[in-house]
Amino acid sequence: MIEINDLCVQFGGVKPIDGLTVNLTKPVVGLIGPNGAGKTTLLNVLSGFVEPRRGWVKVNGKMMTGLPAHQRASMGLRRTFQTDQIADDLTLLENVQAISDHVKFASRADETKAILGAIDFVGLSHRIHRRGSDLSTEERHLAEIAKALIGNPELVMLDEPGAGMSETESEHLQKVIKGIPGYCKAQVFLIDHDVELISACCLETMVLDFGKLLALGPTLEVLKKPEVQQAYLGNFDDL
């Protein structure tokens, strides 16, 4: 569970997050909002890359505010980025293995099992020895998710994992995202502009607009709200 209380982030005269208070309890939670709404800033606060001016965040009852990013990672927080962090000169296996080097395992056998299991879970076992430079956009995004599943994560934050994917590729991504809580018992916090991906994966969705909470609730109900549609300048009537 993610608990956020009176969170405020300020850069000069700009407040990308302004007095945000919310509890997110569902296994897969979505976050949407127009450009500049504060979505990535919120992920950066949760990750420990940005310290809030005021307020705090907890994950599964553990206070995160004030902890450095590496300590949050050791406590089970994982994330992907809009620009993937896949090394072109390493194989897929080596990219995922690089993450496991920072995780304590009971044995080398357990480490190998975790690496191969994460790669298989995202559907990339057939590409395990391919270099990063040979992976497609979809495969690089999936490899990023595999990296985030190493080491018993408690919260997996996905920042635009569907960017650049085709409809067929997005359907596979949906299955992967929805399967994460069952695979490793982690909560998923999903940011994406693809409303179809959000509606397919998320039981609960929050909407930010200019750093403030615009809506929170069951995904399909939230997407039907006039104020949400107005903020997006779109129409979700076909969802």
Side-chain angles (χ1 to χ4, degrees):
M1 180 173 71
I2 303 170
E3 299 173 76
I4 301 170
N5 183 72
D6 193 27
L7 192 69
C8 180
V9 176
Q10 186 166 351
F11 304 127
V14 178
K15 291 184 179 180
I17 302 292
D18 188 8
L20 179 64
T21 297
V22 66
N23 290 340
L24 306 172
T25 62
K26 301 299 182 183
V28 183
V29 179
L31 171 58
I32 62 174
N35 290 332
K39 303 185 298 297
T40 296
T41 298
L42 180 56
L43 246 62
N44 286 337
V45 171
L46 286 166
S47 303
F49 300 148
V50 171
E51 279 298 314
R53 185 183 182 91
R54 186 181 73 237
W56 51 259
V57 296
K58 293 182 180 180
V59 175
N60 293 336
K62 303 170 187 174
M63 180 64 72
M64 295 294 146
T65 303
L67 298 181
H70 72 272
Q71 190 169 346
R72 299 184 196 207
S74 70
M75 296 171 68
L77 271 65
R78 302 285 188 275
R79 72 168 291 180
T80 66
F81 296 84
Q82 292 181 20
T83 301
D84 70 69
Q85 308 294 302
I86 301 300
D88 287 343
D89 58 340
L90 298 180
T91 66
L92 170 60
L93 176 63
E94 290 168 338
N95 269 284
V96 179
Q97 192 171 30
I99 298 300
S100 73
D101 290 342
H102 302 282
V103 177
K104 292 182 179 180
F105 290 95
S107 67
R108 181 56 63 87
D110 286 344
E111 179 182 3
T112 300
K113 181 180 179 181
I115 294 168
L116 297 180
I119 293 172
D120 180 65
F121 173 76
V122 300
L124 291 181
S125 293
H126 63 298
R127 302 287 277 173
I128 195 167
H129 296 300
R130 291 284 185 174
R131 293 194 177 278
S133 58
D134 295 328
L135 299 177
S136 67
T137 297
E138 177 204 18
E139 290 166 344
R140 292 173 75 95
H141 283 306
L142 292 172
E144 280 286 276
I145 294 176
K147 289 165 55 180
L149 301 181
I150 299 297
N152 300 317
E154 292 192 15
L155 174 63
V156 175
M157 298 172 281
L158 304 177
D159 195 355
E160 301 282 353
M165 289 193 185
S166 68
E167 182 176 347
T168 299
E169 292 167 344
S170 183
E171 289 175 357
H172 174 67
L173 178 63
Q174 292 173 21
K175 295 177 182 178
V176 171
I177 293 172
K178 289 190 289 186
I180 290 174
Y183 176 75
C184 61
K185 299 181 181 179
Q187 185 180 22
V188 178
F189 194 27
L190 171 63
I191 294 179
D192 210 287
H193 285 291
D194 184 347
V195 177
E196 290 188 8
L197 180 64
I198 292 288
S199 62
C201 297
C202 303
L203 297 175
E204 179 179 56
T205 293
M206 63 179 292
V207 185
L208 286 181
D209 192 25
F210 294 105
K212 292 182 177 292
L213 182 66
L214 183 63
L216 171 67
T219 299
L220 293 182
E221 293 182 13
V222 165
L223 294 178
K224 295 292 186 181
K225 290 180 177 291
E227 59 269 31
V228 172
Q229 296 193 12
Q230 183 178 6
Y232 255 104
L233 297 177
N235 192 325
F236 308 142
D237 287 343
D238 57 340
L239 295 176

